[in-house]
Amino acid sequence: TQLLEQSPQFLSIQEGENLTVYCNSSSVFSSLQWYRQEPGEGPVLLVTVVTGGEVKKLKRLTFQFGDARKDSSLHITAAQPGDTGLYLCAGAPGNNDMRFGAGTRLTVKP
Amino acid sequence: NAGVMQNPRHLVRRRGQEARLRCSPMKGHSHVYWYRQLPEEGLKFMVYLQKENIIDESGMPKERFSAEFPKEGPSILRIQQVVRGDSAAYFCASSPRGREETQYFGPGTRLLVL
């Protein structure tokens, strides 16, 4: 079992739709990171959330860290084909080794 | 651009040959991580190194694979006697200090074994 469970595993939507993807764990994290990996490229860091309940916005992307610092969500408003990619969450439970989720593979169709 | 650099970006080898993948971490980073990714799958941890030391190689196959991070120069992931199953994307990441810190990734090396 993964320490970080990401859902859904796959998501295919039309351009303009909204979506939310999730990253859940039973462990507490001092911080969580979200990455996006586009086809043929390496993962690119999008955001780090640190404080329980924190909300960060990055244009059409909204990241939330759960109050208990065990989970996080990523909401995309009005998705565009350029949002297509693999979204990975990562975190170090209790300041131990960094762990990665298996990712949500998003496809946005024009 | 002081990001993580990997080369080559693409590498083609025939079965039985050796593959050498290089990674230069971000400036100021002394911790390097290697991951492997198969098509349509997530990242699989292979090895974690600091300068001149292998800290954790629990994800690396015990045969044919080796990694180093010398005092001078890039980190090297070496695959001897490659087989078709070694075909994958290999990503390097670096962090400034410990393994609990945010990792920054390179663009990857795509290895194809014919």
Side-chain angles (χ1 to χ4, degrees):
Chain A
T1 55
Q2 292 270 355
L3 183 67
L4 286 164
E5 295 284 347
Q6 290 194 245
S7 61
Q9 189 176 356
F10 297 95
L11 185 58
S12 181
I13 61 171
Q14 292 295 134
E15 183 176 1
E17 293 184 6
N18 302 331
L19 66 113
T20 303
V21 298
Y22 301 92
C23 175
N24 295 304
S25 178
S26 57
S27 297
V28 176
F29 294 84
S30 57
S31 66
L32 273 178
Q33 289 79 41
W34 284 93
Y35 294 81
R36 178 171 65 217
Q37 184 182 18
E38 297 183 14
E41 299 295 330
V44 174
L45 181 68
L46 295 174
V47 79
T48 298
V49 286
V50 179
T51 307
E54 180 178 6
V55 176
K56 281 193 174 178
K57 289 184 184 290
L58 189 66
K59 295 183 181 178
R60 294 175 293 100
L61 278 59
T62 302
F63 304 85
Q64 185 159 8
F65 200 12
D67 291 339
R69 306 207 317 274
K70 293 182 178 181
D71 53 79
S72 182
S73 64
L74 160 58
H75 181 80
I76 303 179
T77 304
Q80 298 176 1
D83 296 327
T84 292
L86 177 67
Y87 289 81
L88 295 160
C89 69
N95 277 342
N96 288 322
D97 301 337
M98 184 68 65
R99 302 290 186 90
F100 286 82
T104 291
R105 197 166 294 276
L106 172 66
T107 302
V108 182
K109 300 175 185 175
Chain B
N1 185 347
V4 178
M5 295 168 57
Q6 290 187 250
N7 67 81
R9 291 292 306 273
H10 300 273
L11 184 60
V12 180
R13 285 286 178 266
R14 296 195 180 278
R15 280 178 297 171
Q17 291 184 320
E18 179 180 285
R20 278 184 178 240
L21 288 60
R22 296 175 199 79
C23 168
S24 296
M26 282 181 74
K27 190 175 180 180
H29 288 194
S30 58
H31 298 247
V32 165
Y33 315 82
W34 284 93
Y35 294 85
R36 172 184 157 126
Q37 187 178 43
L38 293 172
E40 306 299 311
E41 292 191 10
L43 296 168
K44 181 177 182 295
F45 167 78
M46 297 182 72
V47 61
Y48 163 39
L49 310 102
Q50 283 181 263
K51 282 285 187 182
E52 300 184 276
N53 287 304
I54 296 175
I55 307 302
D56 180 359
E57 55 184 348
S58 59
M60 200 156 67
K62 292 191 176 3
E63 296 181 354
R64 303 188 298 108
F65 285 72
S66 62
E68 62 178 13
F69 189 15
K71 188 176 180 181
E72 301 290 337
S75 175
I76 306 283
L77 178 66
R78 183 182 177 206
I79 311 173
Q80 294 177 289
Q81 299 170 7
V82 294
V83 301
R84 287 213 174 116
D86 296 333
S87 296
Y90 292 85
F91 291 97
C92 167
S94 71
S95 67
R97 288 178 289 276
R99 197 172 178 178
E100 73 283 0
E101 296 206 334
T102 300
Q103 296 176 20
Y104 297 85
F105 284 83
T109 293
R110 276 142 194 88
L111 172 65
L112 175 62
V113 180
L114 301 178

